[in-house]
Amino acid sequence: MPERHEIETFLVLSEELHFGRTAERLHVSTARVSQTVRKLERRVGAPLFARTSRRVEPTAIGRQLAEELGPAWRAVGAAVQRATDAAHGQAGELRVAYAEPAAGQLLFGVAELFRGRLAGWEVVLREAPLLQRLDLLRAGEVDLVFAEFPLLSPELVMGPVLVSEPRMLAVPAGHRLAEAASVAPEDLLGVPFVRLPADLPESFREDRGPRSVLGGGAPGGPSSGGGPSGAAPGGGPSGSVAPRGAPAPRPSVGEASALGPVGGTLNEVLMLVGAGLGVFPVGAQTRRYHARPDVVYRPLAGAAPVEWGLLWHRDRSTAAGRAFVRAAQELLGAGEPDQP
């Protein structure tokens, strides 16, 4: 692998196209620039610059290397600078990704409280679908993600539950369940569920499938993520269903639904629901921000709530990130501040 000074010399020379100016910027001699470039060319196995007495031009290979290496090198420098600033409590930028309008409103309030405590720090909010948010977090392009739980992944940490809302079922407007006061598991025999992409964490896909309606709970679901441990909405035991006349046996997950189509985003999921291709569990706020003439939202009897919180990368916890989580907990009254 090239050494740091080789990469830096190559990129500066690619910008300046002049050995003297490159040497001035790097505070080294012109001979040192030439030696470094020749060493890098030996590593690559091809000339990176065409040199004449009057001009310096990158070769095709040199131009390609500069185009691919430049952004990555700048990203490394920016990441190191952010880490240094965070370690010394200096001004910096905290990047938080979210999706839903309700989440955006909430995060604006948290950001205001956070900025009031960390002078000079800015919060950049970035909207993105869930799968893209997780990719951005893994790539280090955002520091925190606000999302629905559970999202179990070895490299990600789920913070404390910040918001809990009733779980409802999105159904087609013309479906027999659209007129129901509430939906129980026995109502869903043979009803297809719209599915989520396979590259989302299994814990999240299960929590948005038949298992969440039947009260079985997904791995790391609400019962283990800070939600109510002994009671469900309606006052009965967790996962219980209010009786409707004579007791009915609880259907199994396999009996409860058929396989429906896959929706990559919430808008895609609701489009599929509206087209009559399946149903899908959502949080209650969806009714307000995603009202559609072809979709009706009905309460799910005995279902665990939908929970929201902040996630961060296990290897990139920072003082600024911890301060933002504490501000969110305090603003939302979500219990004692935790230390991510």
Side-chain angles (χ1 to χ4, degrees):
M1 289 290 293
E3 298 179 9
R4 182 192 63 79
H5 75 278
E6 294 174 345
I7 296 174
E8 190 173 12
T9 300
F10 167 72
L11 291 175
V12 173
L13 183 58
S14 297
E15 293 178 8
E16 296 289 351
L17 298 178
H18 190 280
F19 281 83
R21 290 195 297 269
T22 298
E24 290 177 5
R25 279 182 58 177
L26 297 175
H27 305 290
V28 297
S29 66
T30 304
R32 177 66 183 275
V33 173
S34 297
Q35 293 169 1
T36 302
V37 171
R38 284 197 296 271
K39 184 178 179 181
L40 182 58
E41 289 176 328
R42 287 195 296 271
R43 288 183 186 274
V44 173
L48 300 176
F49 297 94
R51 310 163 178 84
T52 69
S53 59
R54 295 188 175 183
R55 60 189 303 176
V56 177
E57 291 288 343
T59 63
I61 293 176
R63 186 177 297 106
Q64 177 185 342
L65 181 60
E67 291 174 353
E68 295 180 358
L69 187 59
W73 185 248
R74 288 190 291 272
V76 169
V80 172
Q81 187 60 54
R82 285 194 299 271
T84 302
D85 291 344
H88 293 84
Q90 298 175 3
E93 183 178 271
L94 189 72
R95 303 155 301 165
V96 185
Y98 73 100
E100 291 302 294
Q105 293 178 350
L106 182 154
L107 291 174
F108 272 112
V110 177
E112 184 176 357
L113 180 59
F114 169 84
R115 284 192 295 263
R117 295 178 176 179
L118 274 73
W121 275 81
E122 287 297 327
V123 177
V124 176
L125 300 180
R126 180 170 180 177
E127 186 176 8
L130 178 57
L131 189 57
Q132 184 181 350
R133 271 176 280 162
L134 297 180
D135 288 342
L136 291 171
L137 187 58
R138 292 185 177 106
E141 295 184 35
V142 298
D143 304 296
L144 295 167
V145 161
F146 188 77
E148 296 166 277
F149 288 168
L151 289 163
L152 299 181
S153 181
E155 71 272 30
L156 303 181
V157 178
M158 292 197 309
V161 173
L162 298 174
V163 176
S164 180
E165 58 178 342
R167 188 179 300 253
M168 306 191 76
L169 191 70
V171 302
H175 197 276
R176 60 179 173 81
L177 296 175
E179 301 300 325
S182 64
V183 178
E186 57 266 27
D187 298 325
L188 293 167
L189 291 171
V191 176
F193 274 60
V194 176
R195 294 175 293 152
L196 295 173
D199 39 10
L200 282 172
E202 181 182 3
S203 58
F204 188 78
R205 287 185 284 114
E206 288 195 2
D207 193 66
R208 296 306 180 272
R211 190 179 299 273
S212 67
V213 177
L214 296 176
S223 62
S224 64
S229 58
S238 179
S240 67
V241 179
R244 292 188 174 191
R250 180 181 296 278
S252 69
V253 173
E255 293 173 330
S257 69
L259 294 178
V262 175
T265 66
L266 180 57
N267 283 330
E268 287 182 9
V269 166
L270 295 178
M271 178 186 68
L272 295 169
V273 171
L277 300 178
V279 299
F280 190 76
V282 297
Q285 57 85 24
T286 309
R287 293 176 301 175
R288 177 179 178 185
Y289 293 99
H290 294 275
R292 297 173 57 108
D294 54 353
V295 176
V296 174
Y297 302 99
R298 289 291 176 258
L300 279 166
V306 171
E307 297 178 329
W308 296 72
L310 288 160
L311 301 98
W312 55 91
H313 197 283
R314 190 173 300 278
D315 297 332
R316 291 195 290 270
S317 174
T318 66
R322 293 191 290 272
F324 192 87
V325 173
R326 287 195 297 271
Q329 288 183 278
E330 294 175 25
L331 184 68
L332 298 170
E336 292 299 318
D338 292 344
Q339 292 290 332

